[in-house]
């Protein structure tokens, strides 16, 4: 029984996210007596279990990489995906370790979000398409050309 998980995928980030979504849907289906939500939750949980017990490691890794790319595009999900990728690389035998950086990244993102909320009326915020740096420009100036201070890419945008 100890060797059962040898050669299997195990619980990766996508399986964990699917499991969390399934549990939340199951709770909502139970609380509000939504039978369809319970069925959907059961299906999602079965997919998560299938992924965890799968021996097709290449396909599951491709799916997990897709999940990381989607999470990287979401606001606040980028650091989660980046840190989880380095942690899974360390688990698979890589040398990269991101111990302790998840908390620092979360605090930095919270500060940035707070600053953006305070300055939302005076400034517009955009992301550099080249390097992903968050830039702030004065709001209401029409079409302007912005230069990224990090990678020096130039872009034209409307503020």
């Amino acid at each position: 029984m100890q060797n059962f998980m040898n050669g299997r995928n195990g619980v990766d980030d996508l399986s964990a996210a699917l499991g969390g979504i399934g549990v939340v849907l199951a709770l909502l289906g139970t609380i509000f007596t939504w039978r369809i939500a319970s069925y959907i939750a059961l299906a999602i949980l079965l997919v998560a279990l299938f992924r965890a017990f799968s021996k097709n490691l290449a396909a599951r890794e491709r799916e997990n990489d897709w999940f990381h790319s989607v999470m990287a595009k979401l606001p606040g999900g980028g650091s989660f995906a980046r840190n989880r990728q380095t942690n899974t690389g360390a688990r698979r035998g890589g040398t990269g370790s991101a111990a302790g950086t998840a908390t620092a990244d979360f605090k930095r993102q919270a500060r940035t979000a707070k600053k953006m909320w305070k300055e939302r009326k005076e400034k517009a915020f955009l992301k550099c398409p080249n390097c992903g740096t968050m830039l702030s420009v004065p709001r209401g100036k029409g079409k302007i050309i912005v230069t990224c201070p990090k990678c020096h890419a130039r872009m034209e945008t409307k503020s």
Side-chain angles (χ1 to χ4, degrees):
M1 197 63 171
Q2 290 176 340
N3 295 329
F4 178 72
M5 288 303 287
N6 283 349
R8 297 184 189 271
N9 188 46
V11 179
D12 58 2
D13 297 329
L14 178 55
S15 296
L18 287 173
I21 291 169
V23 168
V24 168
L25 274 175
L27 286 173
L28 288 175
T30 303
I31 291 171
F32 296 111
T33 61
W34 295 335
R35 182 162 261 162
I36 188 74
S38 298
Y39 290 138
I40 293 171
L42 181 63
I44 290 173
L45 288 171
L46 288 175
V47 169
L49 283 173
F50 168 77
R51 286 185 44 74
F53 292 137
S54 174
K55 287 190 174 185
N56 189 351
L57 298 178
R60 302 297 85 83
E61 189 166 352
R62 278 194 310 271
E63 293 165 357
N64 200 39
D65 290 341
W66 171 83
F67 173 71
H68 284 291
S69 68
V70 169
M71 286 299 293
K73 294 176 186 174
L74 295 176
S79 66
F80 166 78
R82 186 173 48 251
N83 289 333
R84 296 299 289 191
Q85 277 180 329
T86 55
N87 285 342
T88 55
R91 182 185 72 186
R92 290 187 185 131
T95 57
S97 176
T101 59
T103 305
D105 282 347
F106 180 75
K107 287 181 180 178
R108 181 179 43 78
Q109 284 183 342
R111 282 193 310 269
T112 303
K114 186 176 180 181
K115 178 184 172 190
M116 288 171 66
W117 182 255
K118 276 184 174 179
E119 298 175 351
R120 71 188 184 279
K121 292 182 181 177
E122 299 90 29
K123 295 185 178 180
F125 296 92
L126 57 115
K127 195 179 251 188
C128 174
N130 195 23
C131 67
T133 302
M134 189 61 71
L135 307 171
S136 63
V137 295
R139 192 177 279 280
K141 298 292 183 184
K143 276 194 173 181
I144 57 174
I145 296 176
V146 181
T147 303
C148 176
K150 189 173 181 182
C151 69
H152 303 291
R154 295 173 55 93
M155 65 205 93
E156 185 174 337
T157 184
K158 183 181 173 192
S159 69

